[in-house]
Amino acid sequence: MASDANVTRNAKTALGGLAEALPGLVCAYGFDDEGGGRLLGSADLATELTATSGWLWLHFNLANARARDWIEEHAPLPDSAKELLLETDDHLCLIAEDDALLGVFADFRRELDHDTQDIARLKFALHRRTLVTGRRQALHSVDEARRAIAQGQTFEAGGTLLEQIFDNFSNQVATMTRELADKLETIEDRVVDDRVDPDDLRVGPVRRMALRLNRQVGALRIHFAALVENPERDLPEDVFAMTERVSLRLTSLGRDVEAIQERARIIQEEVSAKAAEHMNRQLSTLSILTALFLPATLVTGLFGMNTKGLPFDSEEIGFWYAFLVCIGGSGIVYLILRRLGVVK
């Protein structure tokens, strides 16, 4: 928690007047030829934008109108990249155009003091020596990348940092997948325990989370695979190699998520079968009790007619005679049910 706060505090301090002139700029980093990154201040941005060595990362809050205006007017990006960054549509996509890689990637929303499992969007455009990213909500993977830079990790190019952001998301999905697998193992152990009430076996939340993850990872797999297999792609070799690695990682991750989803579906079916069996046992017990009390119900109904000529009406112990008839009738029904195999 403290490291996250330090990263944010250092970014605000370094930006200084730049943050005031460009309020929507979350952070700006300049990287040298060895990949070492440093936070940029107000006097550094113009120099970095016109430099010929190293590379530049600008991260914006796209909910800020002034940041959007700056991207439209000053960002060193092709028009197609600017259009994607500024449009309101945030459907997942991956495009190679004008020697640039641009798209919309999934990430997990981050609160001030903790990560969440809510899915958000990261827009990015990588063109030559400039990487521009934008979001409307704080994101886990981007904060992890900023922390790595603050700890001295080097990134030789924008594609390397972008791959790190993608890997951060994949690592988070992999962690969540392992947690879902552990939950399913616990549920599986309880499914075979007849003492456990089926209503206590909560598979639904696991299936919902697996479905959400599969939607995101599955869509990303499709987009990355389509780009890798596209013979007309227009990308530098190092950026294309990065997309190949990310595509392989997403494919492996997608299979794991699909396996969890399928496993959860099978367990849900087992739980449903157990619930149906549990309900059938209860209905069977209720039916047997109803059958056993049927003679008694019939006798009490007859004796409750209040008509003349009822049996045992003049006997002092007529009640007990009627009681014995009820017991005898229930006993006969029990023997019949036992002979039929209904009662064991």
Side-chain angles (χ1 to χ4, degrees):
M1 305 301 177
S3 61
D4 292 342
N6 290 335
V7 169
T8 302
R9 190 181 306 112
N10 293 338
K12 291 181 178 178
T13 302
L15 287 173
L18 181 57
E20 297 178 1
L22 189 51
L25 183 63
V26 179
C27 62
Y29 289 90
F31 294 81
D32 56 32
D33 292 333
E34 286 73 34
R38 64 185 181 90
L39 280 165
L40 300 180
S42 57
D44 302 323
L45 182 58
T47 302
E48 288 293 335
L49 287 172
T50 57
T52 57
S53 62
W55 63 280
L56 175 67
W57 176 31
L58 302 176
H59 183 53
F60 290 92
N61 176 8
L62 296 178
N64 189 288
R66 297 181 65 180
R68 296 168 61 86
D69 292 341
W70 190 92
I71 292 174
E72 183 176 9
E73 296 175 6
H74 303 293
L77 297 172
D79 291 340
S80 58
K82 293 180 180 180
E83 181 179 353
L84 182 139
L85 289 171
L86 298 177
E87 65 183 5
T88 57
D89 183 14
D90 61 353
H91 286 87
L92 299 177
C93 64
L94 187 67
I95 303 169
E97 188 174 312
D98 299 328
D99 198 31
L101 179 68
L102 47 141
V104 181
F105 201 80
D107 199 359
F108 293 99
R109 187 172 59 85
R110 182 175 179 82
E111 295 290 354
L112 292 176
D113 57 349
H114 66 280
D115 294 329
T116 72
Q117 296 182 343
D118 298 331
I119 300 294
R121 294 288 185 263
L122 171 69
K123 293 188 175 184
F124 63 89
L126 175 62
H127 180 63
R128 296 175 183 171
R129 58 177 302 275
T130 303
L131 172 63
V132 177
T133 58
R135 49 75 169 170
R136 296 181 181 276
Q137 300 166 309
L139 302 176
H140 164 80
S141 298
V142 175
D143 282 353
E144 288 292 317
R146 293 171 61 188
R147 187 184 302 111
I149 297 172
Q151 293 173 351
Q153 186 172 341
T154 59
F155 298 94
E156 297 179 355
T160 310
L161 178 61
L162 198 57
E163 183 176 4
Q164 178 70 34
I165 293 175
F166 296 160
D167 284 345
N168 290 339
F169 170 76
S170 299
N171 292 337
Q172 184 74 354
V173 173
T175 299
M176 295 174 64
T177 302
R178 288 193 295 270
E179 293 175 353
L180 294 178
D182 291 340
K183 292 179 180 179
L184 288 179
E185 288 181 3
T186 301
I187 294 173
E188 280 179 325
D189 292 338
R190 302 184 67 195
V191 165
V192 298
D193 189 349
D194 292 335
R195 297 171 297 178
V196 177
D197 190 334
D199 292 337
D200 295 334
L201 301 174
R202 308 283 293 176
V203 189
V206 177
R207 290 195 66 185
R208 283 195 298 272
M209 180 54 65
L211 178 61
R212 290 177 58 201
L213 294 179
N214 190 41
R215 284 174 179 168
Q216 305 301 320
V217 176
L220 291 172
R221 286 173 61 188
I222 293 173
H223 290 303
F224 272 86
L227 178 63
V228 170
E229 297 171 1
N230 182 8
E232 299 180 357
R233 58 184 175 272
D234 183 17
L235 284 176
E237 288 300 322
D238 58 333
V239 177
F240 174 70
M242 180 271 290
T243 61
E244 283 187 312
R245 291 191 296 270
V246 175
S247 179
L248 290 174
R249 179 75 188 275
L250 289 173
T251 298
S252 175
L253 190 64
R255 289 171 181 168
D256 292 341
V257 175
E258 288 175 352
I260 290 294
Q261 191 175 16
E262 179 64 17
R263 187 177 171 190
R265 184 187 64 80
I266 294 174
I267 294 177
Q268 181 72 69
E269 292 177 354
E270 294 178 355
V271 171
S272 298
K274 182 175 182 178
E277 182 182 356
H278 184 70
M279 180 63 69
N280 289 337
R281 285 200 301 266
Q282 292 179 329
L283 291 175
S284 177
T285 301
L286 182 60
S287 299
I288 292 172
L289 290 175
T290 302
L292 291 176
F293 281 100
L294 184 59
T297 303
L298 178 60
V299 171
T300 55
L302 289 174
F303 278 82
M305 295 172 64
N306 294 324
T307 58
K308 294 183 178 181
L310 289 174
F312 319 126
D313 183 43
S314 60
E315 299 289 339
E316 292 291 335
I317 56 174
F319 166 79
W320 296 107
Y321 289 148
F323 179 76
L324 291 174
V325 172
C326 293
I327 295 297
S330 296
I332 294 172
V333 171
Y334 174 79
L335 293 175
I336 294 174
L337 294 177
R338 188 177 181 87
R339 186 175 183 83
L340 294 174
V342 177
V343 178
K344 297 181 181 179

